[in-house]
Amino acid sequence: MQQEHWLADRAILQRLLQEHPEWSRQELAQRVGRSLGWIKKWKKRLCEAPAGDTTVLLGKPFGRKTPYPQTDPEVEQRILAIRDAPPENLQRTPGPRAILYYLPRDPQLQHRTETLPRSTRTIWKILRKNDRIVQKKPRKHQPIERPGPLEEVQMDFKSVSSVPADPAGKQQHVVEVFNFVDAGTSILLNAQVSADFHAQTVLEAVLSFLQTYGRPHQMTFDRDPRFTGGTTGGDFPSPLIRFLLCLGIQPHVCPPHRPDKNAFVERLNRTYNQECLQIFHPQTLEEVREVTETFQVHYNTERPHQGLSCRNQPPRVAFPHLPSLPALPFSVDPDTWLASIHGQHFGTGNWTSSFI
């Protein structure tokens, strides 16, 4: 649209120059609505153009008028030599900046009077052309294959840092929220708030969740000692692992430094932190429970979720009905978990690798 206005103003100026050659630049500028500099430039171009030539109205091309200067082959070879054999005891592969430093110091180029390359872009092009810089292939992102609704439940803790700690206490996380997220639907199934999460209370929290929803096929969690036992691993499964195996639930312990294996609850923790904790800043245990209950309703029923399974709808709107899971049995054989590791050998390494 702007280009059309430019063409129209140039055409008006061309017509005014033909009809009123006596007008001054000031008069032309007032009539066209342009600056004196614009009138001076285009009056000169229009007057120099042949009569009836309309191509002059299009303006001059903005492309380069002269070819780009080419680097001398000798200089190019010295650039490659510096790249392949770094001078002056440099113990790394020099990049374009380092090569620009060494190039004027090169003994074989001291006799040259021509200007050497001064741009890292020029050096980069030479290195790229001669295969000294390999272009990275674009990464292909593969979407995570989602399980069905309630087939896999991911769980993790989220610390509430806005609650002040006891100056005389040793507890780092004063209040934590224990979140349970369904990987198949992104529904926040349960969010339990407590100031005293340890191995026993974690087991009770998991039991409370299973009593409400039933037994999923798999439960995923990281290597928090409250889940997996001691940090050194040992050769004996933690109470939580044994408890899940006795119930017929497959425990999936994430590998070290791989939060992507627990991605859905980790993403929930980020949303919960940004859209709840950092806004309301709860200061007490009761305030944390209040804002968490409100957030769970908002997250599941009101907030549009951009995950692939939810299709920009709240999780509970995208999945109004969830399948029924097998209920907890009335009694459990406490040695059932032994069948899952029968015949395996455990040394000093971490036993959790057998459940990854």
Side-chain angles (χ1 to χ4, degrees), residues 285-302:
L285 178 64
E286 289 304 320
E287 290 181 1
V288 175
R289 284 177 176 158
E290 291 178 4
V291 299
T292 301
E293 291 177 1
T294 304
F295 172 78
Q296 183 175 359
V297 174
H298 167 71
Y299 180 86
N300 286 332
T301 63
E302 300 172 349

Side-chain angles (χ1 to χ4, degrees), residues 162-177:
S162 60
V163 179
D166 183 4
K170 297 182 179 180
Q171 192 171 358
Q172 180 181 6
H173 304 292
V174 179
V175 175
E176 291 180 295
V177 183

Side-chain angles (χ1 to χ4, degrees), residues 117-132:
R118 293 177 294 180
S119 169
T120 56
R121 181 67 178 172
T122 303
I123 304 295
W124 186 91
K125 287 182 177 179
I126 293 173
L127 297 176
R128 179 74 180 88
K129 182 181 69 173
N130 292 275
D131 298 326
R132 297 312 194 272

Side-chain angles (χ1 to χ4, degrees), residues 70-269:
Q70 300 297 316
T71 305
D72 186 272
E74 181 183 358
V75 176
E76 185 171 325
Q77 290 302 318
R78 294 311 304 158
I79 291 174
L80 299 178
I82 295 174
R83 175 76 172 188
D84 298 336
E88 301 182 5
N89 299 319
L90 182 67
Q91 300 301 317
R92 62 179 176 86
T93 302
R97 280 190 177 183
I99 293 176
L100 279 182
Y101 171 78
Y102 287 117
L103 203 57
R105 301 160 61 93
D106 188 86
Q108 299 188 28
L109 299 179
Q110 294 294 327
H111 66 281
R112 296 183 62 89
T113 58
E114 297 87 350
T115 303
L116 297 175
R118 293 177 294 180
S119 169
T120 56
R121 181 67 178 172
T122 303
I123 304 295
W124 186 91
K125 287 182 177 179
I126 293 173
L127 297 176
R128 179 74 180 88
K129 182 181 69 173
N130 292 275
D131 298 326
R132 297 312 194 272
I133 297 179
V134 180
Q135 188 174 8
K136 295 182 179 179
K137 296 181 180 180
R139 296 178 61 184
K140 294 182 180 180
H141 297 276
Q142 296 293 337
I144 299 176
E145 184 178 353
R146 285 211 173 190
L150 294 184
E151 286 187 8
E152 177 189 351
V153 175
Q154 298 184 357
M155 54 186 184
D156 194 18
F157 295 102
K158 177 61 183 144
S159 176
V160 183
S161 58
S162 60
V163 179
D166 183 4
K170 297 182 179 180
Q171 192 171 358
Q172 180 181 6
H173 304 292
V174 179
V175 175
E176 291 180 295
V177 183
F178 193 10
N179 291 318
F180 296 78
V181 176
D182 176 29
T185 63
S186 294
I187 294 175
L188 176 56
L189 300 171
N190 192 261
Q192 302 186 37
V193 182
S194 177
D196 189 29
F197 274 125
H198 49 78
Q200 180 178 344
T201 54
V202 165
L203 191 59
E204 294 172 354
V206 173
L207 175 60
S208 174
F209 169 79
L210 296 176
Q211 288 174 335
T212 302
Y213 287 95
R215 294 175 292 165
H217 172 71
Q218 177 177 300
M219 297 193 78
T220 302
F221 42 89
D222 57 23
R223 296 190 173 219
D224 191 303
R226 292 170 288 186
F227 293 144
T228 61
T231 55
T232 58
D235 58 358
F236 201 75
S238 68
L240 176 62
I241 297 289
R242 285 179 277 144
F243 174 66
L244 295 178
L245 290 173
C246 289
L247 294 176
I249 301 173
Q250 179 63 35
H252 179 208
V253 183
C254 297
H257 312 295
R258 291 298 301 272
D260 57 300
K261 298 298 182 180
N262 210 21
F264 298 101
V265 69
E266 292 285 359
R267 187 62 180 87
L268 177 276
N269 286 343

